[in-house]
Amino acid sequence: MTAGAPVPGGAVPGGAVPDAAGYFGSYGGRLAPEALMAALEELTAAYAEAKADPAFQAELSALLTGYAGRPTLLTEVPRFAAQAGGCRVFLKREDMAHTGSHKINNVLGQALLTKRLGKRRVIAETGAGQHGVATATAAALLGLDCVVYMGEEDTRRQALNVARMKMLGAEVVPVTTGSRTLKDAMNEAFRNWVSTVEYTHYCIGSVGGPHPFPMMVRDFQRIIGVEAREQIMRAAGRLPDAVVACVGGGSNAIGIFHSFIPDAGVALIGCEAGGDGRETGRNAATLTFGSAGVLHGMRTYILQDADGQTLQTHSISAGLDYPGVGPEHAWLRETGRASYRPISDSEAMHAFSVLCRTEGIIPAIESSHALAGALQLGRDLGPGGVLLVNLSGRGDKDVDIAGHWFGHLGNGSPAQSGPAQSGPSLTDSPLTGGGTAGAAW
Amino acid sequence: MVSAVSAAFEKAAAEQRAALIGYLPAGLPSVDGAIEAAIAIAEAGADIIEIGLPYSDPLMDGPVIQEAVHRALTGGTRVADVLETVRAVAGAGIPTLIMTYWNPVEQHGVGRFARELADAGGSGLITPDLTPEEAGPWLAAAASYDLDPVFLVAPSSSDERIGLITAACRGFVYAASLMGTTGARESVGSEAEGLVRRVRAHTSLPVAVGLGVRDGKQAAAVAAFADGVIVGSALVQRLLAADSPAGGLAGVRALASELASGVRAGR
C-alpha cells in the first residue's frame, strides 16, 4: 500500500497539464498527419473557448443531470467488503448512467462541441460497442449523422450492440483490415476523418489520440471524481486510502483519479487487463508489460515488438483490449503518482461473481478488473481502510460471455468463436471457459 | 553536399520536365522481389524510388497499400530488410528514400536509423505522421548524416504551417493532392495546383505531388504544374494483382514507362 506516498515534484494539481503542445511530461503530443493538423488546431481553440463559456458549460451540465442521470450514486458495499479484508468499500456507480457506462459523459461534451464547430457528422471507433452506443445516442439526441467503425470480429461477437446503434440511427461500418478489432477500427476512423474533416468530428472514446483529445476527454470525465470526492467525504468522513479503476485507454480511471491527484495520501491504482498473463503474451497490460512508443497520434506506452510493430492483445474484457493507453496515465505512472497492476481474466471473473452474489449488482467485465484490484488492496489495508472503486459500467452487455464462463449458458465454453477461443485460455481457474478477444471502449 | 534526390530533381528540371517518383513497400512480393521491382521501375523511367517501411497501423494508407504492407509483414519483413532494400536499390545508382510511419524509427533509435540509412546509401525519410514540431531528434540526426527530411503539406495546411514545414524540408516538399488516404483515383484533386502555388511562395525547393495518380495522362496533368509526380498505389496494385513475380515485374515496368512518358509530355 502506498497511501502515504508524497506527491512527486512533477505532479501538479489538475488542469496544469498537458503543456501547450499536449505533453504530459514526455507523453502525449500530436504525432498525426499534416492533413489533420488544421482540424486539431481548430478543435483545440474551439474547446478552449467552450470550456470558458458559461453557456456551453450550462448546456452540458443540463444534459448530464437531466439526460445522463448525474450525479451517479455512491454505494457502500459491505457484503462485498467482507471479502476484501473487512475494509469499507464504496462504488462510484457509473453503471447507472444512461447507456450503461461512463462513456456518455464524454460523448455529450464532444457532441455539443461538434455543433459548436458547425459540423453535422460524428464518427467513432468502438470495440465492444459501449462508446459506439453512447455516440449513437448523443447523435440521435442532437440531430447529428453518426458512423461507427467496429472491427468485423467485434460486430459479429457484439451483435446486440450493433443492433442498438442501428436502432439509434447510426451506420455501423465493419472494419476488415488488420486484426479486425479496436485498433483497426481506430485506424479506419482516422482514415475517414482525413477525407471528411470539413464536416465531420471524430469523437474519440478514450483519453488517447493526438492533442487535444487526451486532455479534452479527461476534462469531460473529471465529473466522476469531482462527485465521488464530495460523496465519499460525506459518507466516510474522510478521503479514501485508495481509488481503484480499470484501465484500457483509461478514460474512466483518469475521470475518477483526477480530483484526487493533489491528495497525496490517496493512492491511485489502475487495473489493467492481464489476460492470460505475461508468459503467454495474451494480455493487454500496456503499462505493466509495454514500452514507450507512438500509436494513434500520441506518444505513450504501447505493446510492441522490437521493430515498433503493434502487438495483438487479449483480454476477456472487450473494453480493456487495446495495445495503447492514455498518455496521462503513462505520465502518472512515471511520476509515481499512480500505480498500475495487471488483473488476469480469472481474477476479474472471480470479482465479477463476488459482486453479483454479495450485492446484487452485475458489473461490466472491464469494471470487474477494478473490483479484483479492490479485493487485493482491501486485504492489504485490513479493517479501518476505505476504498473507492469506479464501477465504470454495467454488465448487461457481458451476460453472454459471463454466462458461458460460469457455465450458465451453453456447454461451459464461450459461444463466440475467434482467434482467442480456440481452446481454454486459463490453467489457473477452477471455472470452465475461456476468454474472448477483441472489442473495446 | 547535394543529395542524390536533389540531383535527380535538378536533372529533370534541366530537361524541362517533372521528376517521376515511384513507391513500393519493402518485402512485396519478397525482399528480393521488391528490390527487382524497384530497379525495374527506375529502369523504365522513374527518377527516384521511395521504399515503404511496412507498419502494422498504416492510418494514412488506403486499401491497396494496406494490403501490400500486410502481406509484407506477414511474409516476415523486418526493419533490417528495409535497410537492405535501400542498400540494393541505391547501390544500383538510384536515388532512394524511405517512407515510414514514425514509431518504427523511434524504436530502432532515431540516430541509429539515420546512421544505417546513410550507410545504406539512402537519401532521406518521408514521414507521413510526423510534422516538424515533433521532429527535433530526427532533424538533428538528418543534419548529422546529411539526409533529406521530407515532410508533407496538405490542402488544409495554413500558410503559416506551409512556411514551418517547407523550412524543415530538404530535397523536396511532398504535397498531398487531396484530403484523403493513399490510393489511385479517377482524377487528381483540383486542390493540388493551388496547393503547389501556395507552397512555391514559401520555398525554392522542388514540390512533388502525391496521392491519386494512376496513369500517364494524370501524370502529365500533374507534371504541368509540379516538379515531381509521386505514384504509389497504382504500381503496388500491379504487384498485388500479378500471378507471378515475373508478371508483377512486367506490370510495374509497363506502368512506370507510361508514367515516365506522361511526365515528359506534361509541359
Side-chain angles (χ1 to χ4, degrees), chain A residues 288-361:
Chain A
T288 308
F289 301 132
S291 55
V294 175
L295 179 67
H296 291 149
M298 58 181 159
R299 179 169 285 110
T300 187
Y301 263 57
I302 55 181
L303 291 165
Q304 58 186 329
D305 70 11
D307 275 358
Q309 309 287 354
T310 310
L311 294 173
Q312 296 273 7
T313 54
H314 161 79
S315 168
I316 187 167
S317 105
L320 307 185
D321 201 350
Y322 178 65
V325 66
E328 192 165 3
H329 285 294
W331 178 75
L332 287 172
R333 174 184 175 277
E334 190 169 281
T335 60
R337 182 62 193 94
S339 61
Y340 300 84
R341 57 177 66 191
I343 298 292
S344 70
D345 287 350
S346 57
E347 288 168 330
M349 294 313 289
H350 171 70
F352 175 101
S353 175
V354 171
L355 190 71
C356 290
R357 288 164 179 261
T358 59
E359 300 288 348
I361 298 171

Side-chain angles (χ1 to χ4, degrees), chain A residues 273-285:
Chain A
D276 294 346
R278 176 169 217 162
E279 312 71 38
T280 62
R282 286 166 43 76
N283 65 70

Side-chain angles (χ1 to χ4, degrees), chain B:
Chain B
M1 196 182 108
V2 174
S3 74
V5 164
S6 296
F9 275 103
E10 284 170 16
K11 175 170 172 282
E15 294 172 10
Q16 304 285 310
R17 64 173 178 88
L20 176 63
I21 303 161
Y23 163 97
L24 287 179
L28 183 79
S30 61
V31 174
D32 290 342
I35 292 168
E36 286 177 42
I39 292 173
I41 290 167
E43 284 173 353
D47 300 283
I48 296 165
I49 294 293
E50 287 176 20
I51 298 297
L53 190 154
Y55 175 55
S56 53
D57 294 273
L59 57 78
M60 278 297 286
D61 284 303
V64 169
I65 292 177
Q66 285 176 46
E67 172 64 21
V69 301
H70 179 72
R71 286 196 202 177
L73 286 173
T74 307
T77 307
R78 303 291 307 267
V79 168
D81 298 314
V82 179
L83 290 161
E84 283 314 301
T85 302
V86 171
R87 188 181 302 283
V89 177
I94 302 160
T96 306
L97 303 102
I98 288 178
M99 181 148 190
T100 182
Y101 291 90
W102 190 243
N103 196 47
V105 179
E106 196 158 293
Q107 297 311 314
H108 200 75
V110 177
R112 176 184 167 206
F113 195 101
R115 174 166 45 81
E116 292 178 8
L117 176 61
D119 180 64
S123 290
L125 286 184
I126 303 168
T127 51
D129 64 347
L130 187 76
T131 54
E133 298 99 309
E134 297 278 3
W138 158 229
L139 289 170
S144 294
Y145 293 99
D146 202 24
L147 294 166
D148 292 338
V150 178
F151 297 98
L152 278 71
V153 295
S156 61
S157 301
S158 63
D159 286 338
E160 186 189 348
R161 288 198 58 80
I162 289 174
L164 173 90
I165 292 162
T166 53
C169 286
R170 213 186 75 170
F172 67 101
V173 179
Y174 189 126
S177 69
L178 46 77
M179 295 295 288
T181 53
T182 58
R185 287 172 171 83
E186 291 294 320
S187 64
V188 175
S190 56
E191 295 165 309
E193 188 167 2
L195 176 60
V196 170
R197 197 179 311 118
R198 289 204 292 138
V199 173
R200 289 200 198 286
H202 291 271
T203 183
S204 56
L205 284 172
V207 186
V209 170
L211 300 194
V213 179
R214 64 168 188 176
D215 58 24
K217 199 171 154 216
Q218 286 179 345
V222 172
F225 60 83
D227 303 306
V229 179
I230 304 169
V231 181
S233 296
L235 288 165
V236 172
Q237 180 60 42
R238 299 290 175 111
L239 291 181
L240 291 178
D243 47 21
S244 69
L249 275 183
V252 295
R253 202 186 298 272
L255 178 57
S257 178
E258 178 188 330
L259 295 165
S261 302
V263 298
R264 283 163 178 81
R267 294 185 199 160

Side-chain angles (χ1 to χ4, degrees), chain A residues 377-402:
Chain A
L377 289 160
R379 285 163 197 155
D380 294 345
L381 275 177
V386 175
L387 287 177
L388 171 63
V389 182
N390 200 14
L391 195 69
S392 57
R394 58 177 173 243
D396 306 34
K397 69 184 177 59
D398 296 321
V399 165
D400 196 46
I401 293 165

Side-chain angles (χ1 to χ4, degrees), chain A residues 17-19 22-29 211 214-215 218 327-331:
Chain A
V17 288
D19 66 16
Y23 274 94
F24 305 84
S26 54
Y27 303 102
H211 180 63
M215 172 186 76
R218 173 199 73 191
E328 192 165 3
H329 285 294
W331 178 75

